[in-house]
Amino acid sequence: MRANTALTEQVLQHGLGVASAHGLQALSIGDVARELDLTRRGLVAEFGDRECLQLAVLNCAAEHFLRDVVNAVPEHLHGEAKVTALFEKWIRWGRSPELMRGCPFVHASAEAEDLPPKVRAKVKELLDGWTDILATAIEDAKHLNHFRTDLECEQFVFELYGLYLSHHFWHWSMSDKNAQDRTLKAYGRLLAASRP
C-alpha cells in the first residue's frame, strides 16, 4: 500500500489541512476522494480504510512536528535555553500556515473519545512522547541549576500545555493578533518563578 508517492503526499497534505481545521473525524475516504477529484477505489488502494487514513495523517503531522519543533532546536542548547527554544517553536508550529485552522493534535485530543481505538492510542502515544521531551529538558535545566531543584516537573509541563492551549484559542478562535506576545509574556513569568 502507498506506493504512489506523489498521490500519497497530496492526500496527506490535504488530510493535514482537514484535520487541523475540523479534526480527524472529518476525514473520510469518500470526502477526500471527492475534494481531490480522485477515485474512491484508488484512494482505498493507496490507504485502505478511513482508520488507516486517519493514522497516516497523524503520522504526517508527527513528522512535521519533529521537523519543525523537536529537531529544529540547535543541539548546543541545554537547560533553560532548550526549554525556551522548544516552547517557542511549539507556539510557532501551532500557527503554521500549513495548518489551516489550528493544531491537529489539539483537535484530535478534543475528539479522542469518538476516534477508533488505534487512532486514539496513536494520539496518546504522540502526546506522551512530546510530554517526555519537555520533561527531559526541564529536568536537565534543574540539574544545571537553571531551575529550582524542588521544581515540580509535571506541574511545569502542565502549565506549558495550558499556555499552548490558551495561545491556540486566542490565535485561532479569537483572531487575537497579540496572542503570541501574550503567551510569551506569560511564559516569561513561569520561567521567573521557576529559577533559583
Side-chain angles (χ1 to χ4, degrees), residues 26 39 76 95 97 163-164 166 171 195:
T39 65
H76 70 272
R95 54 190 291 156
L163 292 176
Y164 181 77
S166 179
H171 175 73
R195 294 180 183 125

Side-chain angles (χ1 to χ4, degrees), residues 4 16 31 33 39 53 57 60-61 92-93 102-103 105 117 137 155 163 188:
N4 188 333
L16 181 59
D31 286 345
T39 65
L53 176 61
V57 169
C60 175
R92 201 171 303 127
W93 184 82
C103 175
F105 303 122
Q155 181 64 29
L163 292 176

